[in-house]
RNA sequence: AGAGGGUUGGCGGAGUGGUCGAACGCGGCGGUCUUGAAAACCGUUGUACCGCGAGGUACCGGGGGUUCGAAUCCCUCACCCUCUGCCA
């Protein structure tokens, strides 16, 4: 969430930033927050002075009682009734105003950084790098949803029967490939200095709010009935929330964590005819890298994370392009995001397999994740995360790009993890 | 799951209704002393919000209540410890 101090001191920049996201009423929205902030402060001043008066009265009564002046004490008690009522109503007013301000801020997205391209849709995203050659496939090449049936390695019908659409079963070499990809990604992250974490996959409301999924994306998460908990849509949520209400020291930085979890997404409204097979699932596995860094180093960290993901895809020999998301396509909480899209030859499509973002202080402000500086002043840290990688789409691209007439060739780096080098009949 | 005990500042640990943001010790920071260091001594040392400032307000696990006044009493939730039970 944006800091109220930032909105106050850099109003023009904030308006400009939100406009970049295509929010037309940005100025009115921010003015509304500032108005709430103003009355919040006024109410607090009034409340504080009322409480100060009541405190003084109470001390005075204490003194009177101790000196034995019972009658005076009793009459002084009568005088406090009004103050008490006043304080109570001001308190309520303050709580309401704080709540309103909070709600308003929760619904304002992050300000894109200056390097984010202008634009309103995915068409305006900027391709900043491309790597690899599109493979030349044989004449009978197929999309992965046909290949998985042919080799019987992933079963959507079975998933449909047991769970629902978008919950496939991975079988045999399909299951082993998932495991191989996860292990490969985790080992690479480990080598890059990330601490491996196995977090819970169910989180509470506070966690969902702190990383920004709530209230913005409530409809996209699976909620647990009765317990106000949610299945995680990404390991970002539990892993970043480790640092909720935490005060770090500069010597602790950077923090680098990696987690491998299933991710659950309702994907409400996004089901279409072009979304087939592994392209979009309700449950999928993902290795996620998360960093907490000093504001001065976060963009260097973002660059390193982008390079890390690029390295993974290069070793897997998957052609990819890196996309700098435009203002209109940027996620709610991100200040800047680079998407990795892998070319999947069987369906002739670019599949998003990673999204690497810097959230600057947006999440840290909700998390109350701060750092104690050398000057003993506390400041908000920057959080970052990226997929490294989202497994099913990578799997789809591997199956499609490496298909031969005789079978599917497994990328060299995965062979030692998978225990086989070919999928064939 | 049941019974009992507990949760206080960076740490340890007092405090059971008033002057307590909280004794004391340790640690940290500054100083005196010393060629330097240690020891000793003196001072200082939480966070957030509001205020130009003086200063004010809130916070003793979370939330609510009683009271003129709550770290202290009551309710509730969470967590920890001990004993009993159950279970991958």
């Amino acid at each position: 969430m944006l800091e109220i101090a930032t909105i106050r001191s850099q109003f023009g920049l904030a308006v400009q930033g939100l406009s970049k996201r295509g929010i037309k009423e940005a100025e009115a929205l921010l003015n509304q927050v500032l108005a709430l902030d103003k009355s919040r402060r006024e109410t607090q001043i009034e409340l504080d002075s009322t409480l100060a008066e009541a405190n003084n009265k109470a001390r005075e009564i204490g003194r009177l009682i101790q000196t034995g002046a019972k009658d005076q004490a009793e009459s002084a008690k009568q005088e406090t009734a009004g103050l008490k009522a006043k304080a109570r109503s001001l308190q309520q007013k303050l709580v309401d105003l704080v709540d309103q301000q909070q709600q308003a801020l929760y619904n304002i997205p992050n300000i894109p950084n200056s390097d984010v391209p202008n634009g309103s849709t995915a068409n305006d995203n900027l391709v900043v790098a491309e790597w690899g050659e599109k493979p030349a496939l044989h004449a009978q090449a197929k999309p992965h949803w046909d290949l998985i049936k042919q080799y019987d390695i992933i079963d959507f019908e079975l998933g449909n029967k047991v769970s629902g659409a978008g919950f496939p079963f991975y079988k045999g070499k399909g299951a082993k490939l998932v495991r191989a990809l996860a292990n490969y990604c985790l080992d690479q992250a480990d080598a890059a200095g990330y601490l491996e974490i196995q977090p819970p996959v169910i989180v509470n409301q506070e966690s969902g709010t702190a990383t920004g999924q709530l209230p913005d994306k409530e409809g996209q998460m699976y909620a647990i009935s009765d317990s106000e908990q949610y299945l995680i849509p990404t390991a970002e949520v539990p892993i970043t929330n480790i640092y909720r209400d935490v005060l770090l020291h500069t010597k602790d930085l950077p923090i680098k964590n990696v987690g491998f979890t299933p991710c659950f997404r309702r994907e409400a409204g996004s089901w279409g005819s072009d979304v087939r097979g592994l392209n979009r699932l309700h449950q999928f596995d993902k290795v996620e890298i998360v960093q907490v860094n000093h504001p001065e180093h976060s963009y260097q960290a973002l660059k390193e994370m982008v390079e890390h993901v690029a390295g993974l895809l290069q070793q897997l020999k998957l052609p990819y392009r890196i996309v700098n998301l435009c203002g209109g396509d940027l996620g709610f909480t991100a200040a800047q995001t680079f998407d990795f899209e892998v070319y999947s030859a069987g369906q002739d499509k670019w599949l998003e397999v990673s999204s690497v973002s810097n959230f600057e202080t947006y999440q840290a402000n909700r998390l109350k994740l701060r750092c104690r500086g050398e000057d003993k002043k506390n400041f908000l840290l920057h959080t970052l995360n990226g997929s490294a990688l989202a497994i099913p789409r990578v799997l789809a691209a591997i199956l499609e790009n490496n298909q031969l007439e005789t079978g599917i060739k497994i990328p060299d780096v995965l062979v030692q993890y998978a225990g086989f080098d070919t999928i064939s009949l």
Side-chain angles (χ1 to χ4, degrees):
Chain A
M1 137 179 103
L2 298 180
E3 293 157 85
I4 191 73
T6 307
I7 299 176
R8 229 185 283 159
S9 64
Q10 299 178 55
F11 190 79
L13 271 178
V15 172
Q16 208 182 349
L18 295 183
S19 304
K20 203 174 190 177
R21 285 181 175 271
I23 297 173
K24 291 198 178 62
E25 68 285 14
E27 185 161 358
L29 199 62
L30 293 173
N31 269 323
Q32 186 201 341
V33 174
L34 286 185
L36 281 168
D37 185 51
K38 186 159 176 279
S39 42
R40 191 205 97 231
R41 279 144 72 203
E42 287 165 358
T43 305
Q44 178 161 357
I45 290 171
E46 209 182 339
L47 173 64
D48 283 358
S49 63
T50 306
L51 288 174
E53 204 181 325
N55 285 343
N56 284 331
K57 272 275 188 321
R59 274 190 282 267
E60 190 187 320
I61 290 167
R63 240 175 276 124
L64 288 171
I65 289 173
Q66 279 174 348
T67 55
K70 286 269 164 51
D71 293 348
Q72 287 180 55
E74 281 309 314
S75 68
K77 279 189 193 180
Q78 306 304 317
E79 293 170 32
T80 61
L83 283 176
K84 224 182 156 182
K86 188 178 173 192
R88 194 176 282 263
S89 86
L90 284 169
Q91 183 78 56
Q92 188 54 50
K93 189 178 169 192
L94 183 65
V95 167
D96 289 345
L97 284 167
V98 167
D99 189 56
Q100 282 177 51
Q101 184 180 338
Q102 195 84 333
Q103 290 308 318
L105 284 172
Y106 279 157
N107 286 298
I108 297 174
N110 202 354
I111 296 171
N113 91 351
S114 58
D115 197 29
V116 169
N118 288 310
S120 53
T121 69
N123 295 327
D124 301 313
N125 294 341
L126 214 62
V127 176
V128 293
E130 281 194 76
W131 184 91
E133 301 282 317
K134 292 185 180 179
L137 298 184
H138 61 90
Q140 278 76 47
K142 301 166 181 170
H144 70 271
W145 47 86
D146 290 334
L147 292 168
I148 59 172
K149 274 190 187 161
Q150 183 181 342
Y151 296 106
D152 194 26
I153 52 174
I154 301 175
D155 195 329
F156 277 87
E157 282 76 16
L158 196 55
N160 205 23
K161 167 189 158 188
V162 173
S163 176
F167 292 94
F169 277 78
Y170 300 82
K171 304 193 292 191
K173 287 184 174 174
K176 286 186 199 298
L177 265 183
V178 169
R179 187 149 57 91
L181 273 166
N183 281 334
Y184 160 71
C185 288
L186 285 168
D187 283 352
Q188 292 293 309
D190 181 71
Y194 290 87
L195 176 72
E196 187 170 338
I197 307 247
Q198 278 234 15
V201 298
I202 291 177
V203 294
N204 58 25
Q205 266 190 333
E206 293 76 48
S207 294
T209 304
T211 35
Q213 281 71 27
L214 295 173
D216 180 51
K217 288 220 174 80
E218 169 143 41
Q220 294 296 343
M221 288 199 287
Y222 285 98
I224 312 287
S225 51
D226 311 324
S227 68
E228 294 187 342
Q229 290 170 312
Y230 298 85
L231 274 87
I232 59 169
T234 158
E236 161 195 350
V237 181
I239 292 181
T240 307
N241 269 282
I242 294 171
Y243 305 98
R244 177 148 49 85
D245 295 317
V246 164
L247 181 66
L248 294 171
H249 298 269
T250 45
K251 65 174 163 54
D252 303 323
L253 303 173
I255 284 175
K256 298 168 76 175
N257 292 332
V258 59
F260 168 60
T261 66
C263 301
F264 303 91
R265 299 186 183 180
R266 297 180 63 90
E267 302 293 359
S270 67
W271 228 253
S273 56
D274 60 331
V275 182
R276 291 191 62 181
L278 297 170
N279 291 4
R280 177 151 294 159
L281 300 171
H282 286 307
Q283 177 185 335
F284 64 97
D285 290 316
K286 180 160 63 68
V287 172
E288 182 82 2
I289 50 177
V290 175
Q291 284 207 30
V292 175
N293 220 316
H294 191 284
E296 283 171 16
H297 303 141
S298 69
Y299 277 95
Q300 179 58 34
L302 182 66
K303 192 167 164 248
E304 281 169 22
M305 291 167 78
V306 165
E307 282 164 7
H308 178 78
V309 174
L312 295 176
L313 295 174
Q314 286 173 18
Q315 288 194 69
L316 290 168
K317 299 198 170 86
L318 292 170
Y320 67 85
R321 61 185 188 193
I322 303 175
V323 177
N324 183 2
L325 295 194
C326 75
D329 205 28
L330 203 58
F332 195 81
T333 52
Q336 183 168 31
T337 296
F338 291 101
D339 273 3
F340 278 77
E341 297 178 342
V342 157
Y343 181 71
S344 201
Q347 54 182 315
D348 185 25
K349 263 200 162 72
W350 292 93
L351 301 179
E352 182 195 326
V353 295
S354 175
S355 194
V356 186
S357 306
N358 187 352
F359 304 93
E360 297 189 4
T361 59
Y362 192 89
Q363 290 183 328
N365 191 30
R366 290 196 186 185
L367 291 159
K368 294 196 178 64
L369 164 55
R370 292 164 306 157
C371 181
R372 165 145 292 197
E374 307 298 341
D375 59 355
K376 299 279 201 267
K377 290 251 194 288
N378 296 337
F379 58 92
L380 292 171
L381 287 167
H382 283 191
T383 58
L384 305 96
N385 66 49
S387 349
L389 298 157
I391 287 176
R393 288 182 186 166
V394 171
L395 187 54
I398 287 173
L399 297 176
E400 292 186 11
N401 293 3
N402 299 341
Q403 59 181 304
L404 306 167
E405 286 173 89
T406 53
I408 297 167
K409 180 110 175 45
I410 303 306
D412 294 340
V413 290
L414 290 185
V415 171
Q416 56 165 318
Y417 289 103
F420 54 89
D421 60 9
T422 311
I423 298 174
S424 55
L425 289 178

